[in-house]
Amino acid sequence: EKGNYRHFMQKEIFEQPTVVAQTLSSYIRQVDQTVALPQFDFDLSTINRVTIVACGTSYYAGMVAKYWFEQFARLPVDIDFASEFRYREPVLEPGGLALFISQSGETADTLAALRHCKQHGQTIAVVVNVPTSSMAREADLLLPTHAGPEIGVASTKAFTCQLAVLAALAAHMAVARGRMTRAEEAEVVVHLLQAPASLNAALAHDADIAAMAHLIAPARDVLYLGRGPDYPLALEGALKLKEISYIHAEGYASGEMKHGPIALIDEAVPVIVLAPSGPLFEKTVSNMQEVRARGGKIVLVSDRAGLDEAGEGCLATIEMPRVHPLIAPLVYAVPVQLIAYHVACVKGTDVDQPRNLAKSVTVE
Ligand code: F6R
């Protein structure tokens, strides 16, 4: 039931602090501040490579995870859309962990890729929200998200729960490989446990986002920019907007703008910049100035420090809590989802059942 919410999507966006906390609680041992995984019977320290395969929003969660596996565990990561992965000839060598991410656990291309990897001797890990799904049954390492049933066709809470599990997995593998000390692991745990409160703080800006949605709704095209682990969030923002508001949108890595997409910029194209303050902020701000110099209208999503520094002259600003870079992708998922949601509401589209889309894609 939707309770006091207008749409399932809205309800599921607001459930995120609770379901992320629920998910984290099954991966974190509070007593000693360590990451604990469910039971499995292979040696994690022998894994020398990770291949991530997924579709849609789950794929973007995988893109974020690639940064974490590289940064924490120093593991080489290959990532692809399931529909592409299957039809190339991926090199799958001994010691490889193939990681599949799926809300439904039934997406046909992802399931077929899983079976292909199994036949080629890969250890199979699955991050899945439906514990009784086909993918869950075929996993060597089953990593459930505890998001609860997701009814809205556009994925929201499953995504942030996937990120929570993937961050925990990356830290655990880093420890297993001797790349992370127990003290560093405890720090990761502290940051992760901060996520639910930060998600709540992000949700507190719902009304600001609703109030600016009419600025985006008339646009024919919208661009999203992000850098580092926030680049996949730009892709996710564009996907959400396309899906439920039917506005054409693209996500770009901020630094790629000047290599072509900047030709699209004029006063009619809002550019939504996802830029938590931190080591990458200055670079993104200079990319933002390039857009502004060409008449582009910017919506800056950042924390107080970022908005104070670069918010002037923007079409709109959306304030996020100041967070550790590890949890920024979870927290910045909230404005990305709420922008799409409120723009769709302004346009009057069917938010929970967008045209041409199904909740689970069981055809290849
Ligand atoms: C986007 C969306 C889809 C799914 C994709 C994969 O909002 O819902 O892009 O993310 O179809 O589905 P799962 O995660 O069930 O494999």
Side-chain angles (χ1 to χ4, degrees):
E1 251 320 297
K2 286 196 284 252
N4 292 328
Y5 294 100
R6 269 178 76 189
H7 299 102
F8 281 108
M9 182 186 180
Q10 184 189 27
K11 172 173 177 266
E12 289 162 2
I13 291 171
F14 278 85
E15 277 172 358
Q16 290 178 110
T18 310
V19 295
V20 166
Q22 216 163 276
T23 298
L24 282 171
S25 73
S26 69
Y27 289 88
I28 284 172
R29 274 210 316 245
Q30 300 253 21
V31 272
D32 53 1
Q33 307 241 294
T34 57
V35 174
L37 299 184
Q39 211 66 49
F40 60 93
D41 63 1
F42 60 93
D43 181 359
L44 212 51
S45 68
T46 64
I47 297 296
N48 52 29
R49 190 185 168 82
V50 179
T51 302
I52 303 176
V53 183
C55 301
T57 291
S58 297
Y59 172 80
Y60 297 142
M63 276 183 80
V64 175
K66 176 181 163 82
Y67 291 85
W68 294 333
F69 284 119
E70 290 175 349
Q71 183 193 344
F72 297 146
R74 304 304 298 153
L75 274 166
V77 177
D78 179 27
I79 173 162
D80 209 346
F81 295 118
S83 57
E84 285 297 315
F85 178 83
R86 292 181 56 200
Y87 303 109
R88 56 186 175 93
E89 289 178 37
V91 180
L92 299 168
E93 285 172 353
L97 180 75
L99 172 61
F100 301 86
I101 307 167
S102 177
Q103 189 285 128
S104 63
E106 302 295 347
T107 301
D109 280 315
T110 310
L111 185 57
L114 183 158
R115 289 174 178 159
H116 176 88
C117 287
K118 194 167 236 182
Q119 274 162 18
H120 288 78
Q122 302 295 287
T123 301
I124 307 296
V126 170
V127 176
V128 72
N129 196 44
V130 179
T132 53
S133 60
S134 306
M135 284 181 222
R137 283 197 302 271
E138 299 191 23
D140 299 312
L141 171 57
L142 173 59
L143 302 163
T145 47
H146 301 291
E150 193 179 61
I151 312 278
V153 164
S155 187
T156 54
K157 62 177 180 171
F159 177 71
T160 40
C161 288
Q162 287 165 349
L163 291 177
V165 170
L166 291 164
L169 176 64
H172 192 86
M173 290 183 78
V175 173
R177 286 167 55 76
R179 300 289 182 152
M180 187 181 266
T181 64
R182 288 291 177 190
E184 288 164 337
E185 182 187 16
E187 254 178 66
V188 166
V189 166
V190 167
H191 296 312
L192 286 177
L193 291 175
Q194 189 54 45
S198 299
L199 287 165
N200 261 320
L203 286 164
H205 292 273
D206 178 50
D208 309 341
I209 298 173
M212 57 73 84
H214 71 279
L215 299 171
I216 310 286
R220 201 189 60 175
D221 310 283
V222 175
L223 300 184
Y224 286 77
L225 303 185
R227 235 174 219 279
D230 301 302
Y231 162 49
L233 267 293
L235 298 172
E236 168 65 359
L239 177 64
K240 287 279 100 83
L241 193 70
K242 280 183 274 210
E243 279 185 296
I244 61 167
S245 78
Y246 313 145
I247 296 175
H248 170 243
E250 298 295 336
Y252 288 105
S254 309
E256 270 298 293
M257 276 301 282
K258 54 182 164 301
H259 298 286
I262 202 158
L264 296 170
I265 298 298
D266 65 21
E267 314 73 57
V269 184
V271 180
I272 299 175
V273 181
L274 307 172
S277 62
L280 304 176
F281 185 73
E282 294 307 325
K283 292 271 181 207
T284 303
V285 167
S286 76
N287 303 135
M288 211 175 95
Q289 308 303 9
E290 295 160 7
V291 168
R292 188 177 290 156
R294 286 154 186 86
K297 292 217 184 81
I298 290 156
V299 175
L300 179 60
V301 186
S302 187
D303 44 49
R304 193 64 261 158
L307 297 182
D308 284 346
E309 186 181 329
E312 223 178 88
C314 289
L315 175 68
T317 58
I318 299 171
E319 186 177 341
M320 288 292 104
R322 179 148 202 167
V323 294
H324 187 272
L326 175 66
I327 63 165
L330 283 87
V331 173
Y332 281 65
V334 168
V336 146
Q337 296 161 351
L338 287 174
I339 291 169
Y341 175 73
H342 287 296
V343 170
C345 288
V346 171
K347 297 197 75 172
T349 57
D350 186 345
V351 169
D352 285 332
Q353 287 290 329
R355 67 188 183 199
N356 309 342
L357 295 175
K359 184 64 188 159
S360 181
V361 182
T362 51
V363 291
E364 301 181 8

